[in-house]
Amino acid sequence: MQIYLPIAELPVNMFLIFGMGAAVGFLSGLFGVGGGFLLTPLLIFSGISPAVAVASTTAQVVASSSSAALTYWRRRMIDLKLAGVLVVAGVIGSSIGVGIFSMLRRFGQLDLVISILYVTFLGLVGGLMLTESIRAIINTRRGRPAPLRRPGQHNWAHGLPFKMRFKRSKLYVSVIPIIAIGVGIGILGSLLGIGGGFILVPALIYLLRVPTSIVIGTSLVQMTGTMAVATVLQSGANHSVDGVLALILMVGGVIGAQFGARAGALVRGDQLRAMLALLVLAVGIRFLVNLVITPAELYSLTTLAGDAR
Amino acid sequence: MKELATAFSPVLPAFLALIAILVGRPVMAEELIVALSSEEVKITSNFTGTGIAVFGAIERDAATISRGSFYDVVVVLKGPPETVVTRRKDRLLGIWLNSAARTYPDMPSFYAVNSSRPVAEVATAPVLKRFQLGFDNLAFETTEHEEAITPEDISFRDAFVRLKQQAGLFRQEHYGVTFPGTNVFQTTLQIPANVPVGRYEVAVYLFRDSAFLASDSAEIRISKTGFEQFTFDLAHGYGFLYGAICVVLAIFTGWLAGVIFRKD
């Protein structure tokens, strides 16, 4: 069934978009990521302009992450205090990000920067996650117990001032790395149309040593808050949030996310991380290939101003 | 002989002018009557494109000299003007990135040409250029220097037309205009689903033996209606409010799904 999108200004197949939302929603529930890094490229591939795709995905991420966050809330697997600090930092970051977004679009280098950022972050995070999870899987296979987290085990991030106690995460750390992570994720989120869960989750685990059980719920709360603000900012600055598109994606996404969250409970953590790492790497490689191989069409058109209304 | 020509020389321009008037007389005598199947296209939620039928009759008064050759009709549909940047990717350190660019102000956002024959056969190049008939005859006003058109400029123009064609926004039907009767013609202008909204101009040009005879134009409005229009106005007029509504909708959807799928 074809449905006309009022902001994207083109008709799309409703079931195709719904299916995309559901599939990405399933993965987002499974891995505790927003899924934006998959959805935005998918939408652009189906003919929706990058600006509308990025902004509408932002709204969709709000729905899927709030839905999944609710599930974790019921299981009491969220550190609200930590999430709160991350949201405040994330909002600052996404304001900066929306500004950079508009600037890059004026210079015609938005696509390039998006591609390079995707390659860099997806490659880096995917690679790190993959090596770590493979090591963990090998360790379990050999019957060696996973290295236990000792209270005294600290890295440089724990030596900074302005310490804050996070009871739920059993942490006593400086707020500086937390704010830095939040701002960074906020900038990336609004630039790339992603929640940033795939960066946030490993950052919280490896940098701050937040317990794995708490990490996903907390990052979901952070994503809900940051992306909600990013949606309002994108809509106010770029008028590019398509409500109809976002709604179809949301309905598909939340349904998929419910099943994903349930499926996630059946799979071991290290295996989940390995699967997510492969997915992240695959998307990153896809962007790298696009940057390096000779494109079929060297030219592109951008409408600057028009009377079309 | 030379003397004769000299004697006639003041008369010659006048004589030529007379011939021109005589030849030109039937031009004034032909009149175009054009009717459109609709003057407004409304974009609703199930809009997947449409067609606008253009009917026309060529009226001739008694004084018009009947000639053996046929009429040629060119029907043009032009969308609201826009400013477009055409960018070209070049390789730098192994990476393809946008480098050179051309800005074209005042280009039609939509441009369809239906003709009874390929436009190149309908009229001479200067005439086609004057009325901007056909992709090759569009006026490109660049903001850059326009003194000399380099081969690079040409490749940018070609790319612009090619990309617009690929998007379905530039269309050309060489034999799209048909003649059910000698003096009656018809054509259908295809409006794709991704059509930009705004005021469109339908212009009909009548030719015979490469000579321009008459033209007529009409206006079409392509607009969104109801919910689509409301959403668009809200998003553009009250962006922050619209964004906030989207967020509320998103959180509600998320919450509702959580309630529906609750198992415990």
Side-chain angles (χ1 to χ4, degrees), chain A residues 2-7 9-11 59-60 62-64 66-68 70-71 74 105-109 111-112 116 224 227-229 231-233 235-239 241-244 246-247 250-251 254-255 258-259 262 290-295 297-309, chain B residues 43-48 80-89 91 94-99 103 109 152 155-156 159-160 162-164 166 193-198 221-224 227-228 231-232 235-240 242-244 246-247 249-251 253-255 257-259 261-264:
Chain A
Q2 297 283 314
I3 186 161
Y4 185 84
L5 303 177
I7 307 298
E9 302 191 310
L10 50 87
Q60 191 273 343
V62 175
S64 66
S66 68
S67 172
L70 206 67
T71 316
R74 288 207 199 92
R105 200 149 74 148
R106 260 204 315 282
F107 291 122
Q109 299 300 352
D111 295 359
L112 174 75
I116 289 177
T224 309
M227 294 314 262
V229 175
T231 305
V232 176
L233 288 177
S235 179
N238 300 322
H239 313 291
V241 179
D242 195 303
V244 176
L247 185 65
M250 279 174 206
V251 176
V254 290
I255 293 171
Q258 293 294 327
F259 289 104
R262 251 158 244 185
N290 270 5
L291 273 180
V292 174
I293 61 157
T294 309
E297 176 61 84
L298 288 176
Y299 294 86
S300 63
L301 299 182
T302 316
T303 304
L304 286 188
D307 296 343
R309 275 289 165 273
Chain B
I43 296 178
T44 51
S45 61
N46 55 3
F47 182 75
T48 54
E82 60 182 12
T83 302
V84 178
V85 187
T86 307
R87 293 193 173 93
R88 193 188 59 211
K89 283 194 172 73
R91 195 168 224 162
I95 286 173
W96 289 92
L97 49 92
N98 287 333
S99 54
T103 305
S109 52
E152 203 189 359
S155 63
F156 269 99
F160 171 82
R162 183 172 69 240
L163 288 167
K164 276 289 201 180
Q166 278 169 14
N194 59 344
V195 69
V197 293
R221 261 200 85 74
I222 298 184
S223 58
K224 293 170 191 160
F227 173 74
E228 281 69 31
T231 311
F232 187 87
H236 284 263
Y238 307 92
F240 289 106
Y242 174 79
C246 286
V247 168
L249 192 71
I251 291 176
T253 314
W255 170 81
V259 170
F261 288 92
R262 188 170 186 167
K263 256 188 171 173
D264 40 306

